[in-house]
Amino acid sequence: MQLRWTLLALAASLLCVPVASGLAEFGIEGMGVVSTPANEARATLSPDGQRIVWASDRAGGSGGWDLWQARLNGGRWQDAEVLPINTAQDETSPLFSADGRWLLFASSRPGGAGGADLYRAPVDAQGRIGAVESLGAAINSRGDERSPTLSLDGTRLLFASDGHGGAGGMDMFVARWDGQAFIAPVAL
């Protein structure tokens, strides 16, 4: 009976090897850069796999939840730095567009429509983040908008909101790009 459990444990451990090696590919096994004793949430990888952006309430930021970035160097995430687009309010839910040209996120920064709103900032070829712009009045409501997700071609925005009606509470909406802005959110 003991041999049977030993073989079962060995088989189970071998099943975990591909998972561990997959994490090692992204340098995730290193602690203290992306993963710290603070809260870390929703990470997004740049399309080239060389940068990771995530939300954290760790010390050293602008206040509340902030967006942080690290670069892959020698197979490990290194040099975690707070992004310059943070405010004293919360910045969360980062997402790189599929082409890597935009970083979308949620923020409760001053000047928004109310609660948490959705924003985007351009990203240049070197990974520098430009000026923040609101996703606009068609998306941002007096309620909270969170968790932006783009279609691969960037023409549809999926997001959560409690300010556009829906079934109640936070509901999922999809809006389409009209060439100028995301418009006409529809509850799923």
Side-chain angles (χ1 to χ4, degrees):
M1 186 67 161
Q2 180 64 26
L3 178 63
R4 186 177 185 185
W5 287 109
T6 303
L7 290 175
L8 183 60
L10 176 62
S13 69
L14 290 175
L15 290 175
C16 295
V17 170
V19 172
S21 66
L23 293 176
E25 175 184 345
F26 293 106
I28 294 174
E29 77 285 354
M31 296 295 286
V33 176
V34 176
S35 294
T36 68
N39 293 302
E40 323 286 351
R42 190 171 178 184
T44 182
L45 288 174
S46 62
D48 65 4
Q50 297 302 299
R51 292 182 319 279
I52 186 171
V53 173
W54 71 98
S56 178
D57 66 355
R58 65 174 71 183
S62 299
W65 283 81
D66 293 304
L67 299 181
W68 290 75
Q69 177 173 260
R71 296 182 185 278
L72 195 60
N73 188 358
R76 290 197 168 283
W77 295 116
Q78 297 183 18
D79 305 321
E81 61 184 1
V82 66
L83 291 179
I85 59 175
N86 290 304
T87 67
Q89 302 304 311
D90 291 336
E91 279 75 33
T92 63
S93 302
L95 173 82
F96 277 110
S97 60
D99 61 9
R101 294 181 46 223
W102 295 99
L103 179 68
L104 282 72
F105 62 97
S107 176
S108 57
R109 64 185 50 221
D117 293 324
L118 299 182
Y119 296 87
R120 70 180 189 166
V123 181
D124 71 15
Q126 289 72 42
R128 290 184 300 255
I129 310 240
V132 172
E133 56 188 65
S134 170
L135 289 190
I139 302 302
N140 294 321
S141 70
R142 290 180 182 235
D144 289 317
E145 282 69 44
R146 300 188 189 283
S147 304
T149 303
L150 286 173
S151 61
L152 290 177
D153 63 5
T155 62
R156 289 177 311 276
L157 172 71
L158 180 68
F159 65 99
S161 176
D162 63 4
H164 286 284
M170 294 297 274
D171 292 311
M172 300 302 300
F173 292 84
V174 66
R176 66 180 172 80
W177 181 255
D178 73 352
Q180 302 287 323
F182 287 104
I183 61 167
V186 175
L188 295 181

